[in-house]
Structures are given as C-alpha cells and as structure tokens.
Amino acid sequence: MSKKAYTSKHDFVEAFSLKIEELGHQRIYGQILGWLLICDPPHQSFPDLMENLQISKASVSNVTRLLLGQGLIEKVRIKGERQIYFKLKEGSLVEFMEKQLRLTSELESITKKGLQ
C-alpha cells in the first residue's frame, strides 16, 4: 500500500470505500463513512451527502438508515434549523474495525479446527 498522502478528500473517500466494499459492504456505505470521517463540518445533511458524494437521495436514505441501525452514525439537530444532519458516532469506526478483526480471527480458528 502506498504511503503517499491523498491529493483530495474524494481520493481518500474512494480508496476507503473500495476497502469497505472488500469487507462485503456496499460501496456507498464506505463512501458515507469515509466522508463523515473527514468532512468539515463533521455533520452533514442529506443534500450535503448527495452533493459531495454524487449519490442519489434514495441511496443516502437507505445507507444512513442502515448505519444508524448499526450504531456507526447518529442524527444531529442544530438549534433553529429543520434539517437533520448525520455524523460519525464517537468511537464507532474503531469498534467497527475491531469487530472485523475479531470476526477474521474467529473464522481462522473455525477453519483450523475444521481442517484438523
């Protein structure tokens, strides 16, 4: 893997989403997670996600619902605004990665036992 820095936020999001896709998740799942990891401000609305990631409203709706259900993101309300925003839930990405590592380790153990 190259140690060169990404030239843009979108390059990072693209690389991040491709790795998330390799884990078995939708690419858009990785795009939204990756964007929420680096965006400024750290909370983004439906239109923000649609515009910055060039994805449809339906995709944003479906994936944010999934991410909310998994506890990776949370809704944010800003006083005086009607818009709903989303942001990464603190610590959720580390928990997500730790779970992936745990599952890989458990699968390795099951495989070894099965091959004995």
Side-chain angles (χ1 to χ4, degrees), residues 73-89:
I73 66 171
E74 58 189 357
K75 289 182 182 180
V76 176
R77 291 226 180 238
I78 296 177
K79 189 174 181 174
E81 291 191 31
R82 296 181 68 187
Q83 190 80 261
I84 293 174
Y85 295 88
F86 302 96
K87 73 172 197 159
L88 273 180
K89 195 171 183 181

Side-chain angles (χ1 to χ4, degrees), residues 11-110:
D11 288 344
F12 167 79
V13 169
E14 181 68 14
F16 186 87
S17 67
L18 290 173
K19 287 299 170 189
I20 294 296
E21 189 176 35
E22 286 180 31
L23 291 173
H25 300 283
Q26 299 174 34
R27 190 155 163 225
I28 293 173
Y29 183 104
Q31 288 175 308
I32 291 176
L33 277 179
W35 183 254
L36 291 175
L37 185 62
I38 62 168
C39 63
D40 186 28
H43 55 276
Q44 299 283 289
S45 66
F46 261 81
D48 293 336
L49 293 169
M50 290 168 51
E51 180 182 331
N52 287 297
L53 299 173
Q54 296 296 296
I55 56 179
S56 71
K57 184 176 183 177
S59 292
V60 172
S61 178
N62 290 334
V63 175
T64 54
R65 192 175 323 114
L66 179 63
L67 292 167
L68 284 165
Q70 294 175 338
L72 288 164
I73 66 171
E74 58 189 357
K75 289 182 182 180
V76 176
R77 291 226 180 238
I78 296 177
K79 189 174 181 174
E81 291 191 31
R82 296 181 68 187
Q83 190 80 261
I84 293 174
Y85 295 88
F86 302 96
K87 73 172 197 159
L88 273 180
K89 195 171 183 181
E90 184 141 349
S92 67
L93 200 54
V94 170
E95 289 175 16
F96 172 80
M97 290 181 196
E98 287 173 343
K99 180 180 178 183
Q100 297 300 313
L101 288 170
R102 227 178 11 261
L103 291 172
T104 301
S105 177
E106 291 169 4
L107 184 58
E108 178 186 31
S109 177
I110 291 168

